[in-house]
Amino acid sequence: MLEFLKESTFKANEVFFRALNILKKHYISVAGLCFLLFLTNNLSTFLAMYLSDITGSAIKVLLLIVFVVLFFGLQLVLIKRAILLASNVEHAALKTYIPSPKQFLNFLFGLVLYSILTGVVYLGCSIICMPLLYMGVQMETILSEINPALTGVFMMLILIRISFFPFFILEKNHNIFRAGRLSVAFTKGNVVNLFMLMLVLASAYILQLTFEYFDYPLMAKVLSVLNTFIIIPSVSLVMAIAYVDMMKEYKGSDDPELFKNII
């Protein structure tokens, strides 16, 4: 088991450093898209506050649609850019990066389904935690600590298994259900590797929170800069490299069954 974890950690580090190498060569395009995402998110928040008492509901709905299309459209452009760079395609026509309406709607529907699934898992964890009341555990402790932690663990596992559904939507033009099934089949047997990969990505942020908690503001600021300018732009590249590498090894069906690949 220790040897397996060591190998998984090595693979995660290898993917991360390959992503950094690509990022170094194409920093402006990748980090620029991340900056546009940041700008869009903050601009939408600012306008929502500024226009709350000025405009009518029709304009608010129109602005909401515009920002949803911009924000999630930019995310898909970033993922597509990362996939092409991971596949050693450095230059492509502009239309290659723009998602089709079908791809955009499938991606958006996938996010909605994940949100619904989070609520279902939370309710399920609430039922699981019910016996703790009869063991003397306070309701407040269950609601504020145990249930959220348990829900977080389950949702992290689910996120690992379905994390590649946007890639199948963009690369294969599949609908959300087929893309989700492929992601589950695709990640079967690779959960530990992917968990280690996400742990590597999250390590700088975890250290930042640790330094903030123990009141080391200088170190926290340094790690905040590292997260903003290196880690966040690297995330899509890391996942794209993992996707391209795993696609070369994938021997399963192009339209797999869901329940056969969950475990």
Side-chain angles (χ1 to χ4, degrees):
M1 182 62 182
L2 289 175
E3 185 63 30
F4 178 67
L5 289 174
K6 181 179 178 182
E7 182 182 351
S8 299
T9 305
F10 174 76
K11 287 181 178 178
N13 290 335
E14 181 189 7
V15 170
F16 181 69
F17 285 116
R18 282 167 60 194
L20 287 181
N21 188 47
I22 294 175
L23 182 64
K24 183 175 65 174
K25 296 178 182 177
H26 303 278
Y27 186 81
I28 298 299
S29 62
V30 176
L33 287 168
C34 291
F35 176 73
L36 287 175
L37 281 168
F38 173 80
L39 193 64
T40 303
N41 182 53
N42 283 273
L43 184 59
S44 65
T45 303
F46 170 76
L47 286 178
M49 294 175 60
Y50 181 72
L51 301 175
S52 58
D53 299 323
I54 299 176
T55 57
S57 57
I59 295 179
K60 291 179 183 177
V61 171
L62 179 61
L63 286 174
L64 174 64
I65 293 172
V66 169
F67 280 112
V68 165
V69 171
L70 277 176
F71 184 76
F72 293 111
L74 283 170
Q75 282 194 342
L76 291 175
V77 170
L78 178 60
I79 292 172
K80 186 65 176 181
R81 175 66 172 159
I83 293 172
L84 290 174
L85 289 175
S87 304
N88 297 317
V89 179
E90 298 187 357
H91 304 286
L94 180 60
K95 64 180 181 180
T96 306
Y97 298 103
I98 300 174
S100 67
K102 175 187 173 183
Q103 292 171 338
F104 180 81
L105 291 174
N106 271 290
F107 176 69
L108 208 60
F109 188 41
L111 298 180
V112 172
L113 287 178
Y114 184 77
S115 299
I116 295 171
L117 186 58
T118 302
V120 172
V121 171
Y122 183 85
L123 289 175
C125 290
S126 300
I127 296 171
I128 293 173
C129 291
M130 285 291 289
L132 295 176
L133 289 171
Y134 300 97
M135 299 170 62
V137 180
Q138 296 294 321
M139 174 65 79
E140 184 179 350
T141 303
I142 294 174
L143 291 177
S144 63
E145 299 178 18
I146 299 175
N147 198 12
L150 191 60
T151 302
V153 170
F154 278 114
M155 292 313 298
M156 173 58 74
L157 291 173
I158 292 172
L159 181 62
I160 289 174
R161 299 303 303 274
I162 66 170
S163 57
F164 292 102
F165 84 85
F167 294 81
F168 287 108
I169 289 174
L170 289 173
E171 273 285 280
K172 307 296 182 182
N173 204 30
H174 294 325
N175 62 48
I176 178 58
F177 299 108
R178 188 172 181 181
R181 293 197 304 272
L182 273 166
S183 183
V184 171
F186 193 61
T187 54
K188 184 179 180 180
N190 287 291
V191 173
V192 175
N193 290 337
L194 291 170
F195 175 74
M196 289 295 178
L197 193 57
M198 291 182 178
L199 193 61
V200 169
L201 291 172
S203 57
Y205 184 67
I206 293 171
L207 284 173
Q208 178 186 335
L209 293 179
T210 303
F211 284 122
E212 288 176 354
Y213 180 79
F214 288 106
D215 199 20
Y216 290 98
L218 180 60
M219 291 302 299
K221 287 293 184 183
V222 170
L223 288 167
S224 176
V225 171
L226 179 66
N227 277 315
T228 303
F229 294 101
I230 302 297
I231 303 300
I232 293 175
S234 298
V235 171
S236 295
L237 287 171
V238 167
M239 295 302 293
I241 290 171
Y243 169 79
V244 170
D245 286 353
M246 290 167 67
M247 275 298 290
K248 295 174 183 176
E249 300 175 1
Y250 180 64
K251 306 296 182 184
S253 169
D254 190 46
D255 190 12
E257 294 183 28
L258 176 63
F259 294 105
K260 286 185 177 181
N261 293 288
I262 290 178
I263 300 177

